[in-house]
C-alpha cells in the first residue's frame, strides 16, 4: 500500500496557526506517569496564550477528578487546558445512564479485574462489586494484577466466558510506560478475552465515543482540530476514524522501535512498517511534545 510519510516537525509551534483545537494524550506525551516531560508545560502555556482550545484525552481508567489531581502534582494546572476526558470517566458516565446505544443490559453486580486502587471506579453508578465471579452480571477490567501469572489470568477469563459475562474495558491500551517500566494494560486482557470468544465493550481511544466527546467539548469541526499522541493503534487510529489530523510523538510508547539508538532521530523505515502494521496514518511526526 502506498501512503505519504508524515511530515517531520520540530515542535507544536509549527501547527499553531493551522488548528484551533488540540486533542492531546497524557501518558507518553505530556508526562511519563510520574513527572511532566521537559517542555510539555511550556507548550501547553503557549497554546493557552494563543487562545487555542485544548482537551486532554487519556485512556486512564480513573475518574477525571483523580487524574486532574495527579496532574496538579506534576505542575499541570487546569488553567493550562479547557477539559480533561478519561476513559474511566467515559465508563462512569455510560454505566450511570440508561445503558442504551446498543450496549448490553449489564445488571447491577460486577466482578473487578485490576489493581485494588482502581476498584472504586463505579462508585456512584448504582453498580456494586461482588467477590464471587458466579454472582456477577458483568466484569469490569481496569488493568493487570501484579504477581498474577498468565495461566491464572487465562483460568479466570475462561471462567468468565463459561458464565457468558460481558466485559467492560476501562482502558483500551495494550501497554503503557510508567517511568522506564513497560506495563500491560486492561486492553490486553480484553483482547485476550475476545480471542476465547468473550464479548468486550471498550471505552476510550481509539473508539469513536472518546473523540466524539472531545469534539463536542471543543465545539469545533474535525477539520480545525489536530490530535497529538504517542500511540499509533490508539491516538492516531482513532483520529483517522474521526476525520481528525494526527501528530505522532515518536518518543512515547513506540520509542524503542521508532527512534534510532545512535542519535535519537526518527527511524523512517521502521515508522513506515509500523504505520502499515497498524493501518494508522499520522499527518505529522515529532520527537517530543514541545513548543
Amino acid at each position: 500500500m502506498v501512503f505519504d510519510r508524515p511530515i517531520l516537525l520540530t515542535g507544536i509551534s509549527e501547527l499553531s496557526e493551522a488548528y484551533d483545537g488540540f486533542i492531546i494524550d497524557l501518558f507518553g506525551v505530556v508526562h511519563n506517569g510520574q513527572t511532566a516531560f521537559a517542555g510539555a508545560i511550556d507548550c501547553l502555556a503557549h497554546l493557552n496564550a494563543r487562545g487555542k482550545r485544548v482537551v486532554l484525552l487519556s485512556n486512564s481508567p480513573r475518574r477525571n477528578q483523580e487524574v486532574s489531581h495527579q496532574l496538579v502534582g506534576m505542575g499541570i494546572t487546569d488553567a493550562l487546558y479547557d477539559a480533561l476526558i478519561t476513559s474511566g470517566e467515559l465508563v462512569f458516565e455510560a454505566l450511570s445512564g440508561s445503558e442504551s446505544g446498543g450496549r448490553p443490559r449489564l445488571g447491577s453486580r460486577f466482578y473487578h479485574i485490576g489493581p485494588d486502587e482502581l476498584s472504586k471506579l463505579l462508585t456512584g453508578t448504582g453498580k456494586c462489586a461482588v467477590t464471587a465471579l458466579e454472582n456477577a452480571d458483568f466484569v469490569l477490567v481496569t488493568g493487570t494484577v501484579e504477581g498474577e501469572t498468565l495461566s491464572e489470568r487465562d483460568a479466570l477469563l475462561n471462567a468468565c466466558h463459561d458464565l457468558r459475562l460481558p466485559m467492560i474495558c476501562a482502558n483500551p491500551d495494550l501497554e503503557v510506560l510508567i517511568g522506564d517500566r513497560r506495563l500491560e494494560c486492561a486492553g490486553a486482557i480484553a483482547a485476550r478475552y475476545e480471542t476465547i470468544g468473550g464479548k468486550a465493550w471498550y471505552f476510550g481511544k481509539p473508539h469513536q465515543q472518546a473523540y466524539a466527546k472531545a469534539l463536542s467539548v471543543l465545539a469545533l469541526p474535525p477539520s480545525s482540530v489536530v490530535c497529538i499522541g504517542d500511540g499509533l493503534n490508539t491516538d492516531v487510529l482513532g483520529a483517522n476514524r474521526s476525520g481528525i489530523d494526527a501528530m505522532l510523538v515518536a518518543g512515547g510508547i513506540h520509542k524503542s522501535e521508532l527512534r534510532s539508538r545512535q542519535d535519537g532521530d526518527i527511524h523512517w523505515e521502521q515508522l513506515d512498517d509500523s504505520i502499515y502494521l497498524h493501518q494508522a496514518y499520522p499527518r505529522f511526526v515529532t520527537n517530543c511534545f514541545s513548543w
Side-chain angles (χ1 to χ4, degrees):
M1 179 178 178
V2 178
F3 54 86
D4 293 330
R5 273 186 173 173
I7 301 165
L8 177 63
L9 301 182
T10 59
I12 307 304
S13 60
E14 296 175 68
L15 299 178
S16 62
E17 296 302 318
Y19 300 96
D20 298 316
F22 291 74
I23 299 173
I24 302 172
D25 183 29
L26 287 177
F27 279 84
V29 175
V30 173
H31 65 69
N32 66 0
Q34 297 171 333
T35 59
F37 290 125
I41 295 174
D42 175 68
C43 190
L44 290 171
H46 274 290
L47 290 173
N48 179 267
R50 286 159 176 77
K52 304 299 179 179
R53 294 187 58 77
V54 172
V55 168
L56 303 181
L57 181 60
S58 172
N59 272 355
S60 171
R62 302 174 186 270
R63 299 286 307 278
N64 285 354
Q65 186 174 9
E66 184 178 355
V67 173
S68 175
H69 180 73
Q70 292 175 336
L71 292 176
V72 169
M74 299 179 194
I76 305 165
T77 67
D78 59 9
L80 293 172
Y81 55 90
D82 294 280
L84 167 66
I85 301 169
T86 68
S87 54
E89 191 71 24
L90 293 172
V91 169
F92 181 87
E93 291 175 353
L95 277 88
S96 297
S98 61
E99 301 180 75
S100 59
R103 299 192 182 98
R105 294 190 175 276
L106 296 172
S108 62
R109 299 169 300 178
F110 70 93
Y111 183 89
H112 175 237
I113 298 175
D116 287 342
E117 64 184 272
L118 299 176
S119 63
K120 305 298 184 184
L121 176 60
L122 299 187
T123 299
T125 63
K127 313 296 183 185
C128 61
V130 296
T131 55
L133 194 61
E134 59 269 21
N135 292 332
D137 300 310
F138 68 98
V139 177
L140 170 70
V141 59
T142 59
T144 54
V145 178
E146 189 173 356
E148 183 182 54
T149 66
L150 289 176
S151 60
E152 289 171 336
R153 181 193 299 176
D154 280 350
L156 176 58
L157 294 180
N158 282 316
C160 293
H161 181 250
D162 289 343
L163 293 167
R164 299 294 187 267
L165 296 177
M167 176 178 286
I168 298 296
C169 178
N171 175 2
D173 286 349
L174 299 178
E175 57 183 4
V176 68
L177 283 173
I178 298 183
D180 294 324
R181 293 186 303 148
R182 191 175 291 265
L183 302 177
E184 210 171 24
C185 294
I189 298 175
R192 174 61 180 160
Y193 192 49
E194 289 186 311
T195 66
I196 63 173
K199 174 62 180 176
W201 296 83
Y202 296 86
F203 293 83
K205 301 172 290 187
H207 302 281
Q208 296 284 189
Q209 86 276 35
Y211 294 86
K213 177 84 170 181
L215 287 172
S216 71
V217 170
L218 289 171
L220 292 169
S223 59
S224 297
V225 177
V226 63
C227 175
I228 301 171
D230 69 325
L232 281 165
N233 62 336
T234 50
D235 302 290
V236 176
L237 181 60
N240 290 167
R241 290 173 174 175
S242 299
I244 303 170
D245 286 343
M247 168 184 264
L248 177 68
V249 176
I253 194 69
H254 298 300
K255 67 179 179 181
S256 62
E257 311 141 48
L258 302 185
R259 292 176 67 177
S260 167
R261 294 180 182 178
Q262 285 74 31
D263 54 21
D265 287 345
I266 303 293
H267 192 306
W268 287 102
E269 290 76 16
Q270 184 58 55
L271 177 57
D272 289 345
D273 290 344
S274 296
I275 287 172
Y276 183 76
L277 173 66
H278 295 291
Q279 296 290 287
Y281 305 97
R283 183 173 179 187
F284 311 102
V285 63
T286 189
N287 271 300
C288 62
F289 180 68
S290 62
W291 188 248

